Amino acid sequence: MRLIVGLGNPGPRYAANRHNIGFLAIDEIARVHRAAPFRRRFQGEAAEVTLGLERAILLKPQTFMNESGRAVAEAQRFYKIALADVIVLHDELDLPPAKLRVKLGGGNAGHNGLRSITAQCGNEYRRVRLGIGHPGDKALVHAYVLNDFGKAEMPWVEDLCRAVADHAAVLAAGEDASFQNKVHLAMAGRGWDEVKTLGAKN
């Protein structure tokens, strides 16, 4: 069994924030693969889904970003899921918009959700890094991630979430390189090879 976690902040105020792209991707996986309805569990919203040959729990922590690890740890303990079978989808400032990378462990790059999960569960979990670009100035980062995606950004956001969902069974099977490549090809096929960061300084 896999535990697939999307990171974000709860409530309608944050729903379309760049920081919430993990929630958006989880919702799209649930829709495409006809997951069971989300229910309040583990200090979050959880739904069961089958991805290819793998059973998975989709989890959206409702603790606010900097306490995400509490929800992840509770679900992990309940299902006795190994840390290597935990997959976290999150926004990534250090990747250009519409890009995706998968890695196991590593640093948390100042991401409070990842920092919380590492503190509660350990560091050797898989991360699906969903590129949102960088505003170009460290002082602008907080406002940038907590602002909504712009109207012009939504087409690539929706396509990226759909590509993640379409190939989620490959991710669940542990074929990270293949998953990453399939998403890249899907995005390139839709013309998202180069996407500029909105509001970034030139």
Side-chain angles (χ1 to χ4, degrees), residues 26-186:
I26 287 287
D27 284 339
E28 187 66 359
I29 292 172
R31 187 188 70 80
V32 169
H33 295 276
R34 298 191 172 117
F38 281 96
R39 294 190 295 140
R40 292 296 299 229
R41 300 183 74 189
F42 315 122
Q43 302 180 63
E45 294 179 355
E48 294 190 17
V49 68
T50 300
L51 301 171
L53 300 176
E54 296 288 345
R55 287 178 61 221
I57 302 299
L58 304 178
L59 178 66
K60 297 185 292 182
Q62 301 293 295
T63 52
F64 286 95
M65 184 69 82
N66 61 359
E67 295 288 347
S68 300
R70 288 172 24 212
V72 177
E74 194 172 317
Q76 186 193 3
R77 283 194 303 267
F78 182 86
Y79 288 106
K80 298 180 173 61
I81 295 173
L83 188 57
D85 291 327
V86 175
I87 303 166
V88 178
L89 284 67
H90 66 91
D91 59 301
E92 177 57 74
L93 286 160
D94 293 332
L95 280 180
K99 298 297 184 185
L100 174 149
R101 295 288 183 273
V102 184
K103 72 172 184 174
L104 174 64
N108 297 322
H111 195 292
N112 289 333
L114 298 179
R115 185 183 290 126
S116 176
I117 295 169
T118 293
Q120 293 280 343
C121 306
N123 198 52
E124 296 304 300
Y125 54 90
R126 292 155 66 199
R127 301 117 190 268
V128 177
R129 304 162 65 211
L130 303 166
I132 61 167
H134 196 287
D137 183 337
K138 192 174 180 181
L140 301 176
V141 164
H142 183 74
Y144 177 75
V145 299
L146 291 178
N147 272 330
D148 288 356
F149 283 109
K151 187 176 180 181
E153 294 175 285
M154 286 311 299
W156 73 253
V157 172
E158 291 168 0
D159 282 348
L160 181 59
C161 291
R162 181 57 190 263
V164 168
D166 284 346
H167 302 293
V170 181
L171 179 67
E175 299 171 15
D176 291 354
S178 178
F179 168 74
Q180 186 173 289
N181 189 51
K182 287 177 184 296
V183 171
H184 171 76
L185 290 174

